[in-house]
Amino acid sequence: MSFQGESDLTAHKAHPSLLLLCFWITCIMGNQQGGLKREEVELLHKQTHFDQKELKAMYKQFKRETPTGTIGKVEFKEVMKQMGVSDGFLQDLIFGVFDDNKDGAINFQEFVCALSIMTRGGPDEKLGFAFSMYDLDGNGYITKPEMALIMESFYKLVGPLVTFSGKKYDSPAQLVDEFFDQMDINGDGKISFDEYKIGALKNPDIIQGLKLFS
């Protein structure tokens, strides 16, 4: 879902993952020299939407900011806290989406692949990224308890939720119920990625959210 806070918050504020990415882009896009091996650059170029010059610049600054070569959970959560996202559940949730191999740290490949999807990815890529964030246990489905946990945390962050089209939800439960009414096509109480994709592409608020960083 895509929403804003009631008190004139921007769409970026309602999407802490995107907000965090903006911060990292600011830190990273500084130097135009590289440190990656040629074959590594070529592989990442194929895996992402960044050109080789951008990848080299990003890698050099990444290594400067993270001498160990990875972003640990403590560092990641501190950045989010500085950006106004202090809820530990949300911090862990977003860290988990970046930490693709679940080893407790974000390496350059994981970081740049996630950044590529969120800033330059197509609708399918962005929907997949969002779905993986909502699917807390990684079983391929979104359940009501999972969605409720996430929406309750967003509610604490931004207050009453308002979509881009202006529809207001006074409680997380109200939004979750409508989400499942729209997305759970076969009525089995859980949402597969195919159901999520079909429902999302019919929802103007989600479509608007996908355009934030296009």
Side-chain angles (χ1 to χ4, degrees):
M1 300 292 284
S2 297
F3 51 82
Q4 297 176 279
E6 183 177 28
S7 56
D8 197 31
L9 290 169
T10 67
H12 299 179
K13 182 66 173 178
H15 293 264
S17 57
L18 298 180
L19 186 66
L20 178 65
L21 285 169
C22 281
F23 174 79
W24 279 110
I25 291 169
T26 302
C27 291
I28 283 174
M29 300 304 289
N31 202 303
Q32 300 301 312
Q33 300 296 322
L36 284 172
K37 295 179 180 178
R38 181 176 179 178
E39 57 269 25
E40 292 174 327
V41 174
E42 291 176 350
L43 178 61
L44 285 174
H45 177 56
K46 292 178 182 178
Q47 293 176 332
T48 70
H49 299 286
F50 298 117
D51 63 34
Q52 295 190 18
K53 185 177 181 180
E54 289 172 319
L55 288 166
K56 290 177 181 179
M58 294 167 75
Y59 181 75
K60 183 167 185 178
Q61 191 64 24
F62 185 91
K63 290 291 290 184
R64 179 178 297 171
E65 299 292 336
T66 58
T68 63
T70 60
I71 302 171
K73 181 176 283 191
V74 173
E75 179 185 3
F76 187 92
K77 293 176 77 168
E78 182 58 32
V79 171
M80 295 199 69
K81 186 176 180 180
Q82 292 173 9
M83 299 305 295
V85 183
S86 58
D87 184 277
F89 172 76
L90 282 180
Q91 293 172 347
D92 288 337
L93 177 69
I94 298 168
F95 181 86
V97 176
F98 278 82
D99 181 19
D100 189 55
N101 64 7
K102 308 305 176 188
D103 65 351
I106 301 169
N107 61 35
F108 180 69
Q109 181 178 359
E110 291 172 322
F111 170 74
V112 79
C113 286
L115 189 67
S116 171
I117 292 171
M118 295 307 296
T119 61
R120 299 184 183 180
D124 282 359
E125 289 178 292
K126 290 182 179 179
L127 287 173
F129 191 92
F131 185 88
S132 68
M133 185 168 68
Y134 293 139
D135 178 16
L136 297 180
D137 61 8
N139 70 347
Y141 295 94
I142 302 171
T143 64
K144 272 196 172 183
E146 288 175 326
M147 181 60 68
L149 279 174
I150 295 169
M151 291 301 107
E152 286 166 7
S153 292
F154 276 127
Y155 190 89
K156 292 176 184 177
L157 179 66
V158 301
L161 307 177
V162 183
T163 67
F164 288 106
S165 60
K167 185 170 183 178
K168 178 182 175 182
Y169 297 90
D170 293 319
S171 71
Q174 182 185 4
L175 189 151
V176 171
D177 286 342
E178 182 173 307
F179 182 86
F180 270 77
D181 287 343
Q182 294 178 358
M183 301 280 187
D184 185 12
I185 297 173
N186 63 8
D188 64 354
K190 56 187 180 181
I191 299 170
S192 67
F193 177 67
D194 286 340
E195 289 176 315
Y196 178 73
K197 179 180 175 181
I198 291 169
L201 294 178
K202 293 180 180 178
N203 187 308
D205 290 307
I206 294 180
I207 292 174
Q208 180 63 31
L210 295 176
K211 296 177 181 178
L212 282 177
F213 283 85
S214 298

